[in-house]
Amino acid sequence: MKRTAGTTVTDTSPDPETEEVPKTEEPRESREPRESEESKESSESEESEEPGGHEEPHGDGENAGNGETEEATGTTGASPRRTRWLRVLAGVLTVALLATGATLFVKGQRLRDTPATSNHALTDTEATDRVTGEVGSALSKVFSYGPRSTAATKETAKRVLAGKALQQYAALYGQVEKQAADQKLTLTTQVVHAGVTRLGTDSAHLLVFLDQVYEREGKAATTAAAQLSVTAELRGGRWVVVEITSR
């Protein structure tokens, strides 16, 4: 401080060591762009430092971010419908299998009941040989006679023929018996082949081929062939001819 006459004057000159130099304020216009740039850099650094470094899924707009959600929602909604269709399909398949099984069963039953499977001529050789032997022998006897053996042939026919076959034979044999005595006629019949077309437990159908030789006293013998359809039945343990049809 300086002292003058009667007045004390304070020295206000700045001390170069203690007094701060006032800061010059920057213009507002230059400060605002700088703050904007710093804010932008801070925002970018925060985005890059997000946990997990998650990248936004590809795509545009809201659909890109919600793709998985929409797909999951569609799957959940279709599940009950798919279950119902599976149940319906299983029911249809079950009905189809049951229908197929029933059809196969009926067809199998029909196959077991067909004439082919019940025809023992295809499987029972012994029974087939027996019926052909007995029927062939019967036909050879009833269609073989001579001038002095007509009565014996008639009695034989009563044992080996029955039903319609015996009635037809009796009606015709009356004429044959008279001719055989008057013309001295001899007839000899031989079974060439006999085949069983159907054989059941007590009936049989046969196709029989015959060779017949006619002889008259004083004349040459005549040979003829015959073919007969024969039906036989098992009676009293032996085969009896019940029907004869000329073919």
Side-chain angles (χ1 to χ4, degrees):
M1 289 186 301
K2 296 179 179 180
R3 294 182 180 271
T4 57
T7 305
T8 301
V9 180
T10 302
D11 188 2
T12 58
S13 59
D15 189 351
E17 296 179 358
T18 58
E19 187 172 353
E20 294 181 354
V21 179
K23 296 181 179 180
T24 305
E25 214 177 301
E26 293 183 2
R28 186 172 182 180
E29 293 181 359
S30 62
R31 186 170 63 249
E32 287 180 358
R34 181 177 299 176
E35 290 177 354
S36 176
E37 289 179 0
E38 291 177 355
S39 176
K40 184 175 180 181
E41 291 176 357
S42 175
S43 175
E44 290 178 354
S45 63
E46 288 178 359
E47 290 179 359
S48 63
E49 292 177 359
E50 265 183 279
H54 176 69
E55 293 185 3
E56 187 174 310
H58 295 287
D60 296 333
E62 296 178 357
N63 292 336
N66 298 333
E68 295 179 359
T69 305
E70 291 180 355
E71 183 176 357
T73 304
T75 305
T76 305
S79 180
R81 182 179 300 175
R82 183 178 302 173
T83 303
R84 288 195 297 271
W85 275 110
L86 289 175
R87 290 177 180 175
V88 172
L89 182 60
V92 172
L93 289 176
T94 301
V95 173
L97 288 174
L98 289 175
T100 303
T103 303
L104 292 176
F105 175 79
V106 172
K107 289 184 177 181
Q109 191 67 28
R110 289 178 179 176
L111 287 175
R112 287 193 294 269
D113 296 338
T114 55
T117 56
S118 61
N119 187 1
H120 300 303
L122 303 176
T123 57
D124 196 338
T125 305
E126 183 178 355
T128 302
D129 292 340
R130 180 186 173 188
V131 68
T132 54
E134 293 185 9
V135 170
S137 176
L139 295 177
S140 296
K141 290 177 180 179
V142 298
F143 291 119
S144 296
Y145 53 84
R148 300 178 181 87
S149 62
T150 54
T153 301
K154 186 187 293 186
E155 292 300 321
T156 301
K158 293 178 182 180
R159 295 195 306 270
V160 299
L161 301 181
K164 186 178 179 180
L166 182 57
Q167 294 173 2
Q168 293 173 339
Y169 185 85
L172 294 175
Y173 195 72
Q175 302 175 3
V176 171
E177 188 174 14
K178 184 178 180 181
Q179 290 177 355
D182 295 343
Q183 300 177 10
K184 308 290 188 205
L185 182 62
T186 301
L187 177 62
T188 304
T189 300
Q190 181 180 2
V191 176
V192 177
H193 179 73
V196 180
T197 58
R198 179 176 173 78
L199 176 61
T201 55
D202 57 1
S203 64
H205 297 276
L206 301 89
L207 185 61
V208 183
F209 297 88
L210 307 173
D211 278 346
Q212 295 180 309
V213 180
Y214 294 89
E215 293 180 320
R216 289 183 181 178
E217 191 175 349
K219 293 185 178 180
T222 303
T223 302
Q227 182 178 343
L228 305 176
S229 292
V230 179
T231 302
E233 292 181 357
L234 188 61
R235 297 183 180 183
R238 60 189 180 88
W239 289 96
V240 177
V241 176
V242 296
E243 187 174 354
I244 300 173
T245 304
S246 179
R247 294 174 66 90

